[in-house]
Amino acid sequence: MTKYAIVVDEHRCIGCWSCSVACKLENNLPDQSWWNTVLTVGGDSVNTPAGEYGKNTITFNPYHCMHCDTPACTAVCPTGATYKDEETGIVMQNVSECIGCRSCIEACPYTGVRTYLEEDPIPAMEWPVGNQQAPDHLVNTVEKCIMCYYRVKDGKDPACVEGCPAYARVFGDLDDPESEVSKLLAEREYYVLNPEAGTGPNVYYLKDTTQR
């Protein structure tokens, strides 16, 4: 058994959206979809800092499905289209079983990590791109990050991890104390988003203790 997680180092993340673009290309996402976005922790707008001149602060939170230990989405899905892979802990989405009821969107405490395709998908390119094992994109279905499950089963990192130019993302097995993710969480101060929801998210953010 494994328990896969992603650890994001806030000190290293520069908010460049390379992880988002890597995800979009790898999964051949249509124009309407972003499975991975980047939140600005600072001002009221993207890429704006908090504070006053000379004392500004800004950090970034790459944001996508949290692949929770107890996902709220799987409990409400009437068809089993969203389910937790027991071997890896990855929360999956089977679009062929999805009826577009959006119950998972309503139940998920992480707003915006899912996309409902209410119209036919508009290809980002004139031809398919990315991995041939990437899931299909169908109208009237909900889709989301599946942690590049098809890459992971082949022993590779998710595309967002591989595509990060600042090495701000680390992927690994939390059940292995010798994995890099386990060591980072043992050594560094970290937090998760919306812990009060009680779902046990498996995306961790290492705190940036410096001022920038």
Side-chain angles (χ1 to χ4, degrees):
M1 296 291 291
T2 53
K3 182 183 177 182
Y4 285 124
I6 291 178
V7 172
V8 179
D9 190 338
E10 282 190 342
H11 180 63
R12 285 184 171 272
C13 182
I14 57 176
C16 67
W17 286 69
S18 291
C19 54
S20 305
V21 174
C23 169
K24 196 172 185 75
L25 290 173
E26 178 73 17
N27 291 285
N28 191 35
L29 298 187
D31 274 354
Q32 302 104 305
S33 292
W34 289 93
W35 290 359
N36 187 335
T37 56
V38 181
L39 305 180
T40 301
V41 183
D44 295 331
S45 302
V46 175
N47 295 333
T48 59
E52 300 177 354
Y53 178 74
K55 297 181 180 179
N56 298 111
T57 60
I58 188 170
T59 54
F60 301 98
N61 283 158
Y63 185 68
H64 47 77
C65 176
M66 298 290 153
H67 298 280
C68 302
D69 289 335
T70 310
C73 56
T74 61
V76 299
C77 180
T79 66
T82 182
Y83 63 95
K84 187 176 180 68
D85 181 70
E86 294 301 328
E87 183 178 349
T88 63
I90 296 173
V91 177
M92 300 292 291
Q93 186 81 5
N94 184 349
V95 294
S96 65
E97 299 292 332
C98 180
I99 59 174
C101 69
R102 288 167 277 186
S103 295
C104 56
I105 294 177
E106 294 296 326
C108 179
Y110 300 98
T111 303
V113 300
R114 284 173 165 78
T115 299
Y116 172 63
L117 293 177
E118 58 183 337
E119 299 177 348
D120 287 329
I122 301 172
M125 304 289 288
E126 295 180 4
W127 53 85
V129 297
N131 199 301
Q132 291 184 342
Q133 300 180 73
D136 295 329
H137 307 286
L138 306 175
V139 67
N140 194 37
T141 63
V142 176
E143 55 181 38
K144 69 169 193 69
C145 161
I146 55 171
M147 208 180 271
C148 289
Y149 176 83
Y150 50 86
R151 288 176 59 95
V152 170
K153 71 179 183 180
D154 288 339
K156 300 176 182 178
D157 285 342
C160 62
V161 175
E162 186 176 277
C164 178
Y167 302 101
R169 285 173 169 264
V170 180
F171 171 76
D173 180 10
L174 287 180
D175 281 345
D176 177 6
E178 296 302 312
S179 68
E180 189 174 358
V181 289
S182 294
K183 290 179 178 179
L184 283 170
L185 295 182
E187 297 167 357
R188 297 272 301 276
E189 189 175 359
Y190 66 87
Y191 66 95
V192 296
L193 300 180
N194 291 2
E196 64 278 2
T199 58
N202 283 300
V203 177
Y204 298 82
Y205 298 88
L206 302 178
K207 289 187 177 181
D208 183 1
T209 57
T210 64
Q211 292 292 322
R212 62 173 179 177

